[in-house]
Amino acid sequence: MESLTLLLLCLSLVNNIAISNARDTIDRVQFLSDNGETIVSADETFALGFFSPGTSKNRYVGIWYNKVPKETVVWVANRNKPLTDSSGVLKVNDTGILVLLDRSNDMVVWSSNTTTTATGDPIAKLLNSGNLVVHERSKGDDDSRDFVWQSFDYPSDIILPGIKLGRNLVTGIKWSITSWSNSSDPSPGRYSLRFDIDGCPQTMMRDGSTKVFRFGSWNGVQLIGQAAVTTNSIVKYSYVFNEEEQYGMYELINSVAPHKLMLQSDGIIRRTTWSSEKSSWITIMSKRGDTCDNYATCGSYSSCNINRNPICSCLDGFVLSNKQDSSSDCVRRTSLNCRGDGNESLNSRIRKKKIIIISCVLSFGILIFIVIVIYRWTLQKNGKISDHLDEEIELPLFDMSTIISATNNFSAENILGKGGFGSVYK
């Protein structure tokens, strides 16, 4: 009995050691071959290895949810260049470039092709976020500036929490996602989703090069017109605009269940979370938008309201250029006259306005003058202004003998003071 207990304890210990030592890195010595090998993130959420999607027999390198029974691939490396057999091997070279080789002909099928090189010992590591990063072994995983390359810069058809949509203004990298061609072919399909920062920032979907749908413009707080794209108890959306980056992204707040936003091959945007109880993906949001969200549904100088019939209407001052088509462009009800005679007419109106203004000012001034004259005349008539104010005031004259007598012959005892013109006597 004691021997059996000891054996079970040893087996349990070995199992725990195996789990704790699960490989999450690839380096110059340890490759990843297409023989069932995988690397698993430290928390065992994601795995990286070789797979064949749907009914296809082609082989791809991808990342998928490790503990979700239904294989859900979230990133594919060689989307455009599949392997036709199991001869593939993924390795890291001396400069820190991920390379997928076809051992049957020793050809490079895919590489990370980064311009940044590692000066130390490079490794590729699968993080708990699902991000495959390349950095020097001596560097940590916390600062993306230490990464030589990362898969989050090149997403496939799925946006995981932490993946950006937008543009790095320093490196020129544009973050966007593209749908699969179909469930068995991960090559880029018809639809793409990107955060368009040209003009007023907005999330835009394209069918090829044609703009077909937008979520609404960013107004500094949220995407307008999209009640579904808001922060809630599970997801937190954020938008960053600075000199280095302009992007939108989301993060999970309280949820620990797998969560993804996917652009399907039919152009539907679906946000789902994994339910362990139902053992399936539960749709939280499925959106292609209403007709008004489709790009250029209405013509120029018009507005779109899904609750109206017809949904398109011209702005004030504009009318339909084609009354038989409510989605046609709107034109001015009264055309603008920008020719020479129009300018002359405008100058004539300006001159007339100036004449009217000057006439009004002069008339008002004359009226004020008349009122002042009448008011002064009324005061004089009532005796409130003396008639003697206008008479000349005459000063008395004294002869010399009178002055000598008055000042006691200019006696010093009679001096009151001195000024600029001499002494003053009393």
Side-chain angles (χ1 to χ4, degrees):
M1 185 67 180
E2 291 181 358
S3 300
L4 179 61
T5 302
L6 182 59
L7 178 61
L8 292 175
L9 181 60
C10 291
L11 290 175
S12 176
L13 181 61
V14 170
N15 183 60
N16 290 335
I17 292 176
I19 294 176
S20 63
N21 290 333
R23 187 158 64 104
D24 61 356
T25 60
I26 301 172
D27 56 29
R28 293 176 295 176
V29 177
Q30 291 181 308
F31 305 155
L32 186 65
S33 300
D34 189 4
N35 56 6
E37 291 182 344
T38 61
I39 63 171
V40 180
S41 60
D43 64 356
E44 299 183 355
T45 299
F46 294 97
L48 173 115
F50 290 83
F51 75 101
S52 293
T55 59
S56 174
K57 294 182 179 179
N58 290 330
R59 302 296 287 170
Y60 299 86
V61 171
I63 299 173
W64 57 84
Y65 282 103
N66 184 46
K67 293 184 177 181
V68 173
K70 183 179 180 180
E71 184 178 74
T72 305
V73 178
V74 298
W75 181 77
V76 182
N78 54 321
R79 297 183 70 177
N80 293 312
K81 295 182 178 180
L83 291 159
T84 57
D85 54 34
S86 58
S87 61
V89 58
L90 185 66
K91 61 183 293 185
V92 181
N93 67 15
D94 294 338
T95 60
I97 296 178
L98 270 173
V99 180
L100 176 59
L101 295 174
D102 185 346
R103 286 181 297 186
S104 63
N105 54 22
D106 201 27
M107 294 288 291
V108 176
V109 177
W110 171 90
S111 75
S112 58
N113 196 27
T114 178
T115 57
T116 305
T117 59
T119 57
D121 182 16
I123 63 170
K125 184 174 183 179
L126 182 59
L127 304 183
N128 295 336
S129 61
N131 191 11
L132 178 64
V133 302
V134 177
H135 62 78
E136 296 176 13
R137 191 183 297 272
S138 59
K139 301 291 180 65
D141 306 326
D142 299 328
D143 193 346
S144 61
R145 290 175 296 185
D146 292 331
F147 299 161
V148 176
W149 178 89
Q150 59 177 333
S151 63
F152 271 18
D153 279 341
Y154 307 93
S156 296
D157 64 328
I158 286 178
I159 303 176
L160 295 175
I163 288 182
K164 303 173 183 177
L165 280 185
R167 184 184 301 173
N168 187 312
L169 303 179
V170 178
T171 63
I173 293 177
K174 296 180 180 180
W175 301 300
S176 63
I177 60 173
T178 307
S179 65
W180 284 22
S181 292
N182 55 63
S183 60
S184 298
D185 183 3
S187 64
R190 292 174 51 184
Y191 298 98
S192 63
L193 187 68
R194 66 187 63 183
F195 196 60
D196 194 346
I197 65 174
D198 296 326
C200 194
Q202 56 187 332
T203 303
M204 185 78 68
M205 182 194 291
R206 286 177 168 83
D207 182 352
S209 60
T210 304
K211 298 176 180 179
V212 295
F213 170 77
R214 60 181 178 178
F215 275 93
S217 300
W218 174 248
N219 63 3
V221 179
Q222 64 179 20
L223 295 174
I224 61 175
Q226 296 296 324
V229 188
T230 55
T231 297
N232 51 51
S233 60
I234 299 176
V235 177
K236 176 184 177 182
Y237 290 90
S238 61
Y239 300 88
V240 175
F241 301 90
N242 55 45
E243 295 179 352
E244 296 183 354
E245 297 177 318
Q246 295 183 359
Y247 63 87
M249 63 177 289
Y250 77 93
E251 297 175 297
L252 296 182
I253 300 176
N254 298 317
S255 176
V256 293
H259 194 105
K260 60 184 175 67
L261 190 149
M262 179 179 182
L263 176 58
Q264 299 178 169
S265 58
D266 57 0
I268 300 297
I269 301 171
R270 192 179 301 276
R271 182 156 63 90
T272 57
T273 185
W274 177 257
S275 172
S276 298
E277 296 179 358
K278 297 182 180 181
S279 191
S280 64
W281 289 98
I282 305 300
T283 299
I284 300 176
M285 181 271 290
S286 177
K287 194 166 185 63
R288 175 64 184 270
D290 55 42
T291 305
C292 284
D293 287 319
N294 293 335
Y295 192 79
T297 296
C298 300
S300 57
Y301 302 107
S302 62
S303 63
C304 185
N305 188 333
I306 195 63
N307 297 318
R308 283 197 305 248
N309 187 19
I311 61 176
C312 299
S313 62
C314 293
L315 302 177
D316 291 341
F318 292 81
V319 293
L320 285 172
S321 58
N322 181 1
K323 294 184 179 180
Q324 305 301 320
D325 183 7
S326 63
S327 63
S328 62
D329 291 340
C330 295
V331 296
R332 290 185 179 274
R333 191 185 307 276
T334 303
S335 299
L336 294 177
N337 190 347
C338 299
R339 296 176 299 176
D341 55 348
N343 292 333
E344 292 176 4
S345 177
L346 177 61
N347 292 334
S348 177
R349 290 197 298 270
I350 292 175
R351 285 195 297 270
K352 288 181 180 179
K353 288 183 178 180
K354 287 183 177 179
I355 293 173
I356 293 173
I357 293 173
I358 293 173
S359 300
C360 291
V361 172
L362 289 176
S363 299
F364 183 74
I366 293 172
L367 178 62
I368 294 297
F369 177 75
I370 293 174
V371 170
I372 291 174
V373 171
I374 293 175
Y375 178 73
R376 182 178 176 81
W377 178 79
T378 303
L379 292 178
Q380 282 183 330
K381 184 178 179 181
N382 294 333
K384 294 183 179 180
I385 298 180
S386 174
D387 293 334
H388 300 292
L389 292 177
D390 295 332
E391 296 179 359
E392 185 180 353
I393 300 176
E394 296 183 1
L395 295 175
L397 298 176
F398 302 94
D399 54 23
M400 191 62 178
S401 61
T402 303
I403 294 174
I404 292 173
S405 176
T407 61
N408 193 17
N409 195 21
F410 300 102
S411 173
E413 295 178 356
N414 290 337
I415 294 177
L416 294 175
K418 293 183 180 182
F421 295 95
S423 301
V424 178
Y425 295 86
K426 63 179 179 179

